[in-house]
Amino acid sequence: MVRVADRGPETTIPEVALRHALAVSAPRLVLTILYHPNLKRVGQRGELGKFKLGQVAELSRHSPLFTDPHVSANEAPLADRHISRQPIVFTRDRAGVAVSLPARGSSLHVDGQAVIGSHHLSRADLSRGVVLLLARRLVLLLKLAPVETGAEASRDSSFIGASSALDILRSEIGAVAATDAAVMLRGESGTGKELAAQAIHSSSARREQPLVAVNMAAIPAELAAAELFGVRKGAFTGADADKPGYFQQAAGGTLFLDEIGACPEPVQPLLLRALESGEVQRAGGRIETVDVRVVSATDASVEEQGFSAALLHRLAVVTLRVPPLRDRVEDVGLLFFHFLRELDCNAPAPLHQPQMDPVIHGQWAALVVDLARYRWPGNVRELRNFCQQIVLSTRAHGSLRVPQIIMDALHQDSVVAFAQRSEAYRVAAELPADEVIRVMEQADYEPARAARLLDVSRTALYKRLQGIEELRLANDVPAQEVREVYRQSEGQVQQAAATHRVSRPALLRRWRALELAPRAR
C-alpha cells in the first residue's frame, strides 16, 4: 500500500490522489482461470458475487461469465465440452462457503484433494485462495478478493498478471508517478521491484528522459561516491578524464537505487544533500545542481541496519510494497505460459492444437495445480528459473518433461514449506557458518544467489559473511593478492575467481578498478 511519510508540508502526494489510488470495493468471490485448453483464456476472471450470507452461485460449463480483467467486452463462460452443464453450487454460510457437487457432474479437486458430494471452505481458505481442478483439465483459483474501483493505473505494461494485489500496485504507481516524490520500493527478492521502478518512470512526466538503474550492493564502498556523483579530471591518480556520476547521467529523469541498504555510511550524508537540495559534487570538482527523481528499493529492513534515519525519511516520502508471488497466485498461470513462450516459443506449442489428447491437457493442468499451490520463496524470479529448466528438459525429450528437482520442490508438504519459508526472512546472523559456506559454494560465491537459497536478504548476508573467516568478497581481497593471482591465471577470470573463492562478476569489477583486463581463452 502507499504510505506517505509524516513530513507535513513537504509531502508531495496530494491526499486526494492517495485516496483515489486506494479505492477498492468490498471483497468478492472471484474465479481466475489458471489453465484452460485454450491458452487465451488463462488469466480471465469471473465473479461468483459479493460475499453475502445465504448467497448461492453456480459453476458449470455455462456460468459464470469470464472476461479479461481490464476489458469489459467479450464475456464468455468456460465453454469446454468436457465440463458438465450440471452446476457445482456454492452457498455462503456464517463460517465460509459450502460447496455441493451434483450427482452426475464434473469431478472437482480442491487444493489437490478429490471432493465427493460436498466440501466446506472457510473464510481463511478463501482469503488465501483455493485451487480448483475441474474435470481434470481446467484449473481455477477461487479467492475472496477486493476489486479495484477505477483508480488510474500505471501506463506501464511490464507487469504480467491480473490479480487484485497487482491491480492495487498498478493504481498506486499511477498515483505516485504523477508527482516527483521520492519513492522507496519494499519487497522480497525476485518480486519485481525494478519493474515497479520502470513503471513509475514510464508513467511519469520524465518518461522521455533517462532511467538509470544502479545496484548499490555491487559498487565497492571506496568507489561509491565517485560512481554516484562523478569525478573531475585530475582529482586523483588515474582520473585522466571527467567522468559523470549516475546522478548526472540521470539528469532530467529517474535514478533507481536498488539494494539501498548497502549504501556505504560515508556516502549517506552526500546522498541526503543531493535529495534535499539537488546539489552534488564530483570528486575534485565544484558543486552542481541536478534535477533527478530518486526511486530506491530494498528487500531488507534498513531500519535495523543502522541506516541514516534522516536519509530514510527523504528516500521514503512514499513507500510502495511489491507483493510476493504467493499473494498473487491468480497470476501464476499467466506468468508460467508467458515465460514458456519467452524462453522457447515452441515449448507450449501442443497447447494450441484444438484436438489435443485429453491426457496431455491433464498433464499440463496437474502441473499448474502444483505451481499454484507452491509457496514461491524466490517469487517471480524463481518461477522463471523453473520455466527455464522445464523448457530445456522438454526440448531434450520432445514432450512435456518437468525435472525431478522441480517436482520434489513442488510436492513437498505445503504446511512445512510455509513454516520453513515464512514471509519473514531468516535471521542471517544465526545461520551456521558451515551452511553459509556450503551454499556460497553452490552459488559460485555470488551473494545474491546465495541469499535466495538461504532465504535471507542480500544486505544481511553481506554482514554475516564478515564473521566467517573462510569467506570474503572480491573487494576484501588485498590488491597485491589480486594482481598476483591475475598473473598466475594469465587473466582467466574463472580460474582466478575459483582461486580467490569469490564471484566472477565481482572479481571482474575489481580488476577494472585495478586496471587489469580479462583475457580471452
Side-chain angles (χ1 to χ4, degrees):
M1 306 296 284
V2 177
R3 184 174 63 200
V4 179
D6 184 15
R7 300 195 54 79
E10 297 182 43
T11 298
T12 56
I13 298 295
E15 186 177 349
V16 64
L18 183 61
R19 287 198 303 265
H20 187 53
L22 298 179
V24 293
S25 71
R28 299 177 181 229
L29 278 173
V30 177
L31 283 165
T32 304
I33 300 176
L34 302 184
Y35 176 76
H36 191 289
N38 178 0
L39 282 188
K40 294 180 180 179
R41 305 293 307 274
V42 173
Q44 292 184 354
R45 290 198 305 223
E47 287 191 19
L48 289 185
K50 295 180 180 179
F51 199 61
K52 293 183 177 180
L53 188 64
Q55 180 180 352
V56 174
E58 297 181 346
L59 172 62
S60 70
R61 185 191 305 181
H62 299 306
S63 65
L65 299 178
F66 291 80
T67 187
D68 292 331
H70 307 294
V71 180
S72 58
N74 301 323
E75 291 185 328
L78 291 174
D80 185 285
R81 64 184 181 85
H82 293 85
I83 304 300
S84 174
R85 296 183 180 87
Q86 298 297 315
I88 298 171
V89 178
F90 298 84
T91 306
R92 165 75 163 95
D93 59 29
R94 296 188 181 279
V97 169
V99 183
S100 300
L101 273 65
R104 300 180 62 183
S106 300
S107 64
L108 177 68
H109 288 70
V110 175
D111 283 340
Q113 300 297 317
V115 174
I116 300 176
S118 63
H119 187 76
H120 193 272
L121 301 172
S122 69
R123 186 169 185 129
D125 293 332
L126 296 168
S127 297
R128 168 181 52 83
V130 180
V131 181
L132 308 180
L133 174 61
L134 192 58
R136 298 184 181 271
R137 60 186 277 115
L138 273 81
V139 183
L140 307 168
L141 183 79
L142 176 63
K143 189 173 183 179
L144 183 64
V147 179
E148 180 267 325
T149 57
E152 182 179 353
S154 157
R155 301 180 186 180
D156 185 87
S157 59
S158 301
F159 283 104
I160 304 296
S163 61
S164 297
L166 200 54
D167 280 347
I168 292 171
L169 177 62
R170 287 189 179 108
S171 294
E172 292 171 346
I173 288 172
V176 301
T179 76
D180 265 344
V183 179
M184 177 172 283
L185 301 168
R186 289 182 180 260
E188 298 174 12
S189 178
T191 52
K193 295 186 291 296
E194 185 166 357
L195 284 179
Q198 293 170 358
I200 291 171
H201 175 74
S202 64
S203 299
S204 73
R206 297 174 178 266
R207 68 181 70 91
E208 301 300 329
Q209 302 302 317
L211 168 64
V212 177
V214 181
N215 187 333
M216 295 300 298
I219 304 177
E222 63 272 17
L223 299 179
E227 292 290 332
L228 285 172
F229 308 117
V231 176
R232 183 65 66 187
K233 180 180 179 180
F236 48 77
T237 303
D240 52 4
D242 288 350
K243 178 184 176 183
Y246 293 124
F247 269 87
Q248 290 89 351
Q249 294 173 37
T254 304
L255 178 62
F256 173 52
L257 301 177
D258 197 6
E259 296 292 335
I260 190 63
C263 181
E265 188 173 346
V267 178
Q268 293 182 25
L270 304 178
L271 184 54
L272 177 60
R273 183 178 72 175
L275 288 165
E276 288 184 330
S277 65
E279 295 180 345
V280 299
Q281 184 173 16
R282 302 190 194 206
R286 297 180 178 180
I287 294 175
E288 54 189 298
T289 301
V290 292
D291 173 25
V292 172
R293 195 244 185 101
V294 174
V295 177
S296 58
T298 179
D299 60 2
S301 177
V302 292
E303 294 88 349
E304 298 175 1
Q305 299 172 6
F307 197 83
S308 165
L311 177 56
L312 179 61
H313 286 312
R314 277 293 181 181
L315 288 168
V317 173
V318 178
T319 296
L320 300 187
R321 300 195 180 275
V322 183
L325 185 54
R326 63 178 168 273
D327 287 349
R328 40 180 292 218
V329 180
E330 303 97 309
D331 299 333
V332 166
L334 277 171
L335 286 165
F336 178 58
F337 292 110
H338 167 77
F339 287 141
L340 288 183
R341 281 188 290 264
E342 178 185 76
L343 294 166
D344 186 344
C345 62
N346 294 321
L351 294 170
H352 298 287
Q353 299 175 10
Q355 303 303 322
M356 184 194 294
D357 184 342
V359 173
I360 299 177
H361 280 306
Q363 292 173 345
W364 283 96
L367 175 58
V368 172
V369 168
D370 289 339
L371 295 173
R373 299 187 64 220
Y374 185 55
R375 296 302 302 175
W376 298 111
N379 294 293
V380 178
R381 184 185 293 119
E382 183 180 20
L383 174 56
R384 191 180 190 281
N385 290 342
F386 275 19
C387 289
Q388 179 71 77
Q389 296 178 61
I390 291 171
V391 165
L392 293 174
S393 181
T394 298
R395 185 186 298 163
H397 293 87
S399 60
L400 175 62
R401 186 66 62 94
V402 182
Q404 189 59 45
I405 189 172
I406 292 180
M407 296 306 298
D408 290 343
L410 295 178
H411 287 163
Q412 62 184 313
D413 187 308
S414 59
V415 176
V416 174
F418 179 71
Q420 292 176 339
R421 291 169 166 170
S422 64
E423 295 187 17
Y425 282 113
R426 298 171 68 188
V427 180
E430 298 176 359
L431 292 174
D434 58 349
E435 180 183 0
V436 177
I437 293 171
R438 175 178 57 78
V439 173
M440 283 288 286
E441 291 174 350
Q442 181 182 349
D444 293 329
Y445 300 100
E446 293 185 18
R449 291 175 57 192
R452 290 195 296 272
L453 294 171
L454 290 165
D455 286 340
V456 300
S457 74
R458 278 176 274 187
T459 305
L461 179 60
Y462 285 130
K463 290 192 174 184
R464 179 68 183 97
L465 294 177
Q466 294 173 3
I468 302 177
E469 294 183 0
E470 295 87 345
L471 296 174
R472 56 184 175 174
L473 302 176
N475 292 333
D476 298 329
V477 181
Q480 182 178 353
E481 181 182 343
V482 173
R483 290 191 174 94
E484 177 60 23
V485 173
Y486 174 85
R487 183 188 62 79
Q488 294 175 355
S489 67
E490 299 181 343
Q492 303 299 328
V493 66
Q494 184 169 355
Q495 180 181 338
T499 301
H500 290 303
R501 300 180 71 188
V502 299
S503 78
R504 290 191 294 275
L507 184 59
L508 275 172
R509 289 192 295 270
R510 189 72 193 283
W511 280 5
R512 285 195 291 268
L514 295 173
E515 300 182 349
L516 302 174
R519 298 173 187 171
R521 290 187 176 276

